[in-house]
Amino acid sequence: MPQPVTATPLVFAHANGFPGRSYRSFLAPLEARFDMHPVEQLGHHPDFPVGHNWLALRDELLEQLQAFSEPVIGVGHSMGGVLTAMAAEQAPERFRCVVMLDPPLMLGVDAMAMKLAKRLGFVDRVTPAGRTLGRRSRWSDRSAMRDYLRRRSLFRRFTDQALDDYIEGGTRELEEGGVVLRYDPDIEVDIFRHLPDHLNALPERARVPLGVLAGDESDLLTSRRRRRLRRRGVRVAEVPGGHMFPMEHPEATREALLAMLDTLLDGGER
């Protein structure tokens, strides 16, 4: 009797400040093809404090991969993309391929500038750490939170469902009333301050296929940085939107992701 075909596991690592369940409307349709495993909240386990260059966060992600008996597809947004690539460099046998969504992967002069910013103490000015300091983390209810976030530039272009996903998945209710962010803002700041500056050679060192999806309006993956990735052998495709495009254009992002995965899993050249 033929054995049932099992879907390939896909592990999705989130952006800084956005728990895995924040991506529900983007990820849910992918369950028709993959065995989906969103990572919930990196950086909050006491055994894996943030630390230098996200090395402990990489190890936290690798620890979660111990549950899989076969290599996984690794996909990650922003921080999650970089961590997935770091994990694949450390343990390539655990991955079939990696796709990063608008990752802050510092190469060349960007890596040198990040190293200098850390050393001279102005990293808060060149990363989102400074803007995250003192961010609001508590509201009277989720409706008040929704009204507040709709006025913030980061969330303004989220689909209604994506914003609801973040509000419901990214908060917890307090016994005394109100809601508070699940993702600790102090940890979020610490993560930004330790943005890796040591990955300049990662594209060449990686032994699994690498791909990048970049928002065509992203202020992070500029056209110059996209060209640099391509010169280093990373496949790059563009999707509509800014840095938060999985929440702004979930359908277009899924289509681009599936096309990229088909290419990488088919053994296409990087």
Side-chain angles (χ1 to χ4, degrees):
M1 184 173 182
Q3 296 296 313
V5 176
T6 57
T8 302
L10 188 156
V11 174
F12 179 85
H14 59 79
N16 189 17
F18 288 83
R21 68 187 76 179
S22 303
Y23 295 83
R24 183 174 54 191
S25 61
F26 164 56
L27 296 177
L30 295 173
E31 294 174 356
R33 176 169 171 181
F34 303 105
D35 179 18
M36 296 296 299
H37 295 271
V39 177
E40 184 50 32
Q41 196 155 294
L42 291 164
H44 289 66
H45 195 291
D47 291 346
F48 301 98
V50 176
H52 178 61
N53 275 341
W54 295 356
L55 297 177
L57 300 183
R58 175 205 64 191
D59 292 344
E60 182 181 5
L61 180 57
L62 284 170
E63 176 72 17
Q64 298 196 30
L65 295 182
Q66 297 285 346
F68 298 94
S69 60
E70 62 178 297
V72 306
I73 293 169
V75 179
H77 179 212
S78 192
M79 172 191 79
V82 174
L83 288 176
T84 304
M86 290 172 64
E89 179 192 11
Q90 182 75 9
E93 72 280 0
R94 296 195 172 277
F95 292 88
R96 297 186 64 187
C97 66
V98 168
V99 179
M100 298 173 273
L101 313 184
D102 227 61
L105 184 61
M106 300 292 103
L107 305 177
V109 66
D110 291 330
M112 292 186 286
M114 183 57 58
K115 193 181 296 289
L116 186 64
K118 291 178 181 177
R119 184 170 299 170
L120 298 182
F122 59 88
V123 69
D124 284 9
R125 300 207 301 269
V126 298
T127 72
R131 298 194 301 273
T132 306
L133 282 168
R135 69 174 295 190
R136 185 171 177 179
S137 61
R138 183 170 174 172
W139 292 264
S140 58
D141 55 38
R142 288 182 170 130
S143 178
M145 181 181 180
R146 183 178 292 103
D147 292 341
Y148 174 83
L149 293 180
R150 272 299 182 207
R151 299 192 297 271
R152 311 297 292 182
S153 59
L154 182 67
F155 298 90
R156 195 169 293 146
R157 291 164 42 173
F158 278 32
T159 67
D160 290 340
Q161 184 58 59
L163 185 62
D164 286 343
D165 288 345
Y166 173 68
I167 291 170
E168 294 168 14
T171 62
R172 58 182 176 85
E173 295 183 349
L174 299 169
E175 290 184 5
E176 64 270 26
V179 295
V180 65
L181 292 176
R182 291 181 182 273
Y183 213 96
D184 186 332
D186 290 337
I187 291 175
E188 187 176 354
V189 170
D190 203 26
I191 288 172
F192 283 132
R193 286 175 172 165
H194 288 87
L195 187 73
D197 58 35
H198 69 300
L199 301 177
N200 182 55
L202 185 145
E204 290 80 14
R205 293 193 303 249
R207 287 156 47 200
V208 302
L210 297 179
V212 163
L213 299 184
D216 61 6
E217 299 178 53
S218 173
D219 55 2
L220 174 63
L221 276 191
T222 61
S223 59
R224 175 179 60 84
R225 288 171 173 159
R226 294 197 292 271
R227 287 195 299 270
R228 182 183 296 153
L229 285 165
R230 290 186 176 107
R231 288 197 302 267
R232 303 290 285 276
V234 179
R235 295 191 69 90
V236 179
E238 296 178 9
V239 295
H243 181 60
M244 301 303 295
F245 61 78
M247 279 80 163
E248 298 168 352
H249 301 278
E251 184 174 354
T253 304
R254 281 193 302 272
E255 291 175 358
L257 174 60
L258 290 171
M260 178 69 75
L261 289 174
D262 285 342
T263 298
L264 296 179
L265 293 172
D266 192 41
E269 294 183 4
R270 282 169 49 192

Short mmCIF file of all heavy atoms in Angstrom, two decimals, residues 24-51:
data_model
loop_
_atom_site.label_atom_id
_atom_site.label_comp_id
_atom_site.label_asym_id
_atom_site.label_seq_id
_atom_site.Cartn_x
_atom_site.Cartn_y
_atom_site.Cartn_z
N ARG A 24 -0.14 35.58 10.01
CA ARG A 24 -1.13 34.52 9.74
C ARG A 24 -1.76 34.63 8.37
O ARG A 24 -1.80 33.64 7.62
CB ARG A 24 -2.22 34.55 10.83
CG ARG A 24 -3.26 33.44 10.68
CD ARG A 24 -4.20 33.46 11.87
NE ARG A 24 -4.79 34.78 12.07
CZ ARG A 24 -5.48 35.12 13.15
NH1 ARG A 24 -5.64 34.25 14.13
NH2 ARG A 24 -5.99 36.34 13.26
N SER A 25 -2.22 35.80 7.97
CA SER A 25 -2.92 35.90 6.68
C SER A 25 -1.96 35.73 5.50
O SER A 25 -2.38 35.32 4.42
CB SER A 25 -3.68 37.23 6.56
OG SER A 25 -2.80 38.33 6.64
N PHE A 26 -0.68 36.04 5.70
CA PHE A 26 0.31 35.82 4.65
C PHE A 26 0.67 34.34 4.55
O PHE A 26 0.77 33.78 3.45
CB PHE A 26 1.56 36.65 4.96
CG PHE A 26 2.79 36.25 4.19
CD1 PHE A 26 2.77 36.21 2.80
CD2 PHE A 26 3.96 35.89 4.85
CE1 PHE A 26 3.91 35.83 2.09
CE2 PHE A 26 5.09 35.52 4.15
CZ PHE A 26 5.08 35.48 2.77
N LEU A 27 0.84 33.67 5.68
CA LEU A 27 1.35 32.30 5.68
C LEU A 27 0.27 31.23 5.49
O LEU A 27 0.55 30.17 4.93
CB LEU A 27 2.08 32.03 7.00
CG LEU A 27 3.35 32.84 7.26
CD1 LEU A 27 3.91 32.50 8.64
CD2 LEU A 27 4.40 32.61 6.18
N ALA A 28 -0.93 31.48 5.96
CA ALA A 28 -1.95 30.42 5.98
C ALA A 28 -2.17 29.75 4.62
O ALA A 28 -2.25 28.52 4.54
CB ALA A 28 -3.26 30.97 6.53
N PRO A 29 -2.27 30.49 3.50
CA PRO A 29 -2.48 29.81 2.22
C PRO A 29 -1.33 28.89 1.81
O PRO A 29 -1.54 27.99 0.98
CB PRO A 29 -2.64 30.98 1.23
CG PRO A 29 -3.13 32.12 2.06
CD PRO A 29 -2.39 31.96 3.36
N LEU A 30 -0.15 29.10 2.35
CA LEU A 30 0.99 28.25 2.00
C LEU A 30 0.85 26.84 2.59
O LEU A 30 1.58 25.93 2.19
CB LEU A 30 2.29 28.88 2.49
CG LEU A 30 2.68 30.21 1.82
CD1 LEU A 30 3.89 30.82 2.52
CD2 LEU A 30 2.96 30.01 0.34
N GLU A 31 -0.08 26.67 3.52
CA GLU A 31 -0.28 25.35 4.13
C GLU A 31 -0.80 24.34 3.10
O GLU A 31 -0.70 23.13 3.32
CB GLU A 31 -1.27 25.46 5.30
CG GLU A 31 -0.72 26.27 6.47
CD GLU A 31 -1.75 26.50 7.55
OE1 GLU A 31 -2.93 26.08 7.35
OE2 GLU A 31 -1.40 27.10 8.59
N ALA A 32 -1.31 24.82 1.98
CA ALA A 32 -1.78 23.90 0.94
C ALA A 32 -0.62 23.17 0.28
O ALA A 32 -0.82 22.10 -0.31
CB ALA A 32 -2.57 24.68 -0.12
N ARG A 33 0.58 23.71 0.40
CA ARG A 33 1.74 23.10 -0.25
C ARG A 33 2.81 22.64 0.73
O ARG A 33 3.52 21.66 0.45
CB ARG A 33 2.33 24.09 -1.24
CG ARG A 33 3.61 23.60 -1.91
CD ARG A 33 4.02 24.47 -3.07
NE ARG A 33 5.35 24.12 -3.56
CZ ARG A 33 5.98 24.72 -4.54
NH1 ARG A 33 5.39 25.72 -5.18
NH2 ARG A 33 7.21 24.36 -4.90
N PHE A 34 2.95 23.34 1.87
CA PHE A 34 4.05 23.05 2.79
C PHE A 34 3.53 22.71 4.18
O PHE A 34 2.40 23.07 4.55
CB PHE A 34 4.98 24.26 2.90
CG PHE A 34 5.56 24.72 1.60
CD1 PHE A 34 5.10 25.87 0.97
CD2 PHE A 34 6.57 24.00 0.98
CE1 PHE A 34 5.62 26.29 -0.25
CE2 PHE A 34 7.11 24.40 -0.23
CZ PHE A 34 6.62 25.54 -0.84
N ASP A 35 4.37 22.04 4.94
CA ASP A 35 4.13 21.81 6.37
C ASP A 35 4.69 23.03 7.09
O ASP A 35 5.89 23.12 7.33
CB ASP A 35 4.84 20.52 6.80
CG ASP A 35 4.67 20.22 8.27
OD1 ASP A 35 3.75 20.78 8.90
OD2 ASP A 35 5.48 19.43 8.80
N MET A 36 3.81 23.97 7.45
CA MET A 36 4.23 25.29 7.90
C MET A 36 4.57 25.31 9.39
O MET A 36 3.83 24.77 10.21
CB MET A 36 3.14 26.32 7.63
CG MET A 36 2.85 26.54 6.15
SD MET A 36 4.27 27.23 5.25
CE MET A 36 4.49 28.78 6.11
N HIS A 37 5.69 25.98 9.71
CA HIS A 37 6.13 26.11 11.10
C HIS A 37 6.65 27.53 11.33
O HIS A 37 7.85 27.79 11.25
CB HIS A 37 7.23 25.10 11.41
CG HIS A 37 6.79 23.68 11.34
ND1 HIS A 37 6.25 23.01 12.42
CD2 HIS A 37 6.76 22.80 10.30
CE1 HIS A 37 5.94 21.78 12.06
NE2 HIS A 37 6.23 21.63 10.78
N PRO A 38 5.75 28.47 11.65
CA PRO A 38 6.21 29.82 11.98
C PRO A 38 6.90 29.82 13.35
O PRO A 38 6.38 29.25 14.32
CB PRO A 38 4.93 30.64 12.02
CG PRO A 38 3.87 29.78 11.41
CD PRO A 38 4.28 28.37 11.64
N VAL A 39 8.07 30.44 13.42
CA VAL A 39 8.75 30.62 14.70
C VAL A 39 8.04 31.74 15.44
O VAL A 39 7.74 32.79 14.86
CB VAL A 39 10.23 30.96 14.48
CG1 VAL A 39 10.94 31.24 15.80
CG2 VAL A 39 10.92 29.83 13.72
N GLU A 40 7.77 31.55 16.73
CA GLU A 40 6.89 32.47 17.42
C GLU A 40 7.58 33.74 17.93
O GLU A 40 7.13 34.84 17.67
CB GLU A 40 6.18 31.78 18.59
CG GLU A 40 5.15 32.64 19.30
CD GLU A 40 4.17 33.33 18.35
OE1 GLU A 40 3.83 32.78 17.29
OE2 GLU A 40 3.76 34.46 18.67
N GLN A 41 8.69 33.62 18.66
CA GLN A 41 9.19 34.82 19.33
C GLN A 41 10.67 34.68 19.67
O GLN A 41 11.04 34.38 20.81
CB GLN A 41 8.37 35.10 20.60
CG GLN A 41 8.53 36.49 21.15
CD GLN A 41 7.34 36.93 21.97
OE1 GLN A 41 6.25 37.10 21.42
NE2 GLN A 41 7.52 37.13 23.26
N LEU A 42 11.52 34.93 18.73
CA LEU A 42 12.96 34.82 18.95
C LEU A 42 13.44 35.95 19.86
O LEU A 42 12.93 37.06 19.82
CB LEU A 42 13.70 34.89 17.61
CG LEU A 42 13.51 33.68 16.68
CD1 LEU A 42 13.95 34.02 15.27
CD2 LEU A 42 14.25 32.47 17.21
N GLY A 43 14.45 35.63 20.66
CA GLY A 43 15.07 36.64 21.51
C GLY A 43 14.56 36.71 22.92
O GLY A 43 15.10 37.47 23.73
N HIS A 44 13.56 35.90 23.27
CA HIS A 44 12.95 35.99 24.59
C HIS A 44 13.27 34.81 25.50
O HIS A 44 12.84 34.78 26.65
CB HIS A 44 11.43 36.13 24.45
CG HIS A 44 11.00 37.47 23.93
ND1 HIS A 44 11.30 37.90 22.65
CD2 HIS A 44 10.33 38.49 24.51
CE1 HIS A 44 10.80 39.12 22.47
NE2 HIS A 44 10.22 39.49 23.59
N HIS A 45 14.01 33.83 25.01
CA HIS A 45 14.36 32.67 25.84
C HIS A 45 15.61 33.00 26.65
O HIS A 45 16.61 33.46 26.09
CB HIS A 45 14.61 31.45 24.97
CG HIS A 45 14.61 30.16 25.72
ND1 HIS A 45 15.60 29.82 26.63
CD2 HIS A 45 13.73 29.11 25.73
CE1 HIS A 45 15.35 28.64 27.13
NE2 HIS A 45 14.22 28.20 26.61
N PRO A 46 15.57 32.77 27.97
CA PRO A 46 16.74 33.14 28.80
C PRO A 46 18.01 32.40 28.44
O PRO A 46 19.11 32.89 28.74
CB PRO A 46 16.28 32.79 30.23
CG PRO A 46 15.14 31.82 30.05
CD PRO A 46 14.47 32.22 28.78
N ASP A 47 17.90 31.25 27.80
CA ASP A 47 19.10 30.51 27.39
C ASP A 47 19.77 31.12 26.15
O ASP A 47 20.89 30.73 25.82
CB ASP A 47 18.76 29.04 27.10
CG ASP A 47 18.40 28.27 28.36
OD1 ASP A 47 18.66 28.78 29.47
OD2 ASP A 47 17.82 27.17 28.23
N PHE A 48 19.06 32.03 25.46
CA PHE A 48 19.59 32.60 24.22
C PHE A 48 19.45 34.12 24.24
O PHE A 48 18.69 34.69 23.44
CB PHE A 48 18.87 32.00 23.01
CG PHE A 48 18.98 30.51 22.91
CD1 PHE A 48 17.97 29.68 23.38
CD2 PHE A 48 20.10 29.92 22.35
CE1 PHE A 48 18.07 28.30 23.28
CE2 PHE A 48 20.22 28.54 22.24
CZ PHE A 48 19.20 27.72 22.72
N PRO A 49 20.16 34.81 25.13
CA PRO A 49 20.11 36.28 25.14
C PRO A 49 20.67 36.84 23.84
O PRO A 49 21.49 36.20 23.17
CB PRO A 49 20.99 36.65 26.34
CG PRO A 49 21.92 35.49 26.49
CD PRO A 49 21.13 34.27 26.09
N VAL A 50 20.24 38.03 23.48
CA VAL A 50 20.53 38.58 22.15
C VAL A 50 22.02 38.54 21.82
O VAL A 50 22.45 37.85 20.90
CB VAL A 50 19.98 40.01 22.04
CG1 VAL A 50 20.37 40.62 20.68
CG2 VAL A 50 18.47 40.01 22.20
N GLY A 51 22.82 39.28 22.54
CA GLY A 51 24.27 39.19 22.41
C GLY A 51 24.86 39.64 21.09
O GLY A 51 24.17 40.13 20.19
#
